[in-house]
Amino acid sequence: MDAELRIDSEETIRVATELANLKGESLEVAVLVSLQERLQREREIKDKVDRVMALAREVRAHMREPVSSDHNWLYDENGLPT
């Protein structure tokens, strides 16, 4: 791959350089590892969201119509749980 990554932000360069120095790594390794770690976290979040949405679709498929937010049947005439 002949792509080039150009970073113009002084703050980004400063933070990446500080991280590289703390870890005893090259700037390239520090940036690569940071990006890999963030990518992994984002993939994990997406996987969790996808699983929750799949569960929601499954629950919705088993719900009887009409769906209502009326929960009065759970309470007696005094507003206490039945």
Side-chain angles (χ1 to χ4, degrees):
M1 179 182 267
D2 292 316
E4 182 179 314
L5 177 63
R6 179 178 166 170
I7 300 173
D8 293 325
S9 164
E10 289 181 19
E11 176 69 2
T12 301
I13 294 169
R14 184 192 67 73
V15 170
T17 301
E18 182 178 348
L19 178 61
N21 289 337
L22 283 171
K23 297 296 289 178
E25 302 170 334
S26 69
L27 192 55
E28 183 175 350
V29 169
V31 170
L32 174 61
V33 171
S34 295
L35 289 171
Q36 288 171 331
E37 289 173 354
R38 183 170 181 193
L39 179 59
Q40 182 61 33
R41 285 192 308 271
E42 293 300 323
R43 283 178 175 157
E44 290 170 2
I45 290 168
K46 183 184 181 313
D47 289 346
K48 287 177 184 177
V49 168
D50 289 347
R51 287 195 311 267
V52 168
M53 294 304 291
L55 286 170
R57 284 190 296 275
E58 184 177 339
V59 167
R60 180 67 179 106
H62 291 71
M63 293 178 78
R64 292 178 293 196
E65 295 294 335
V67 176
S68 171
S69 61
D70 180 11
H71 296 99
N72 287 332
W73 61 275
L74 293 170
Y75 304 97
D76 67 14
E77 62 279 355
N78 298 312
L80 297 173
T82 55

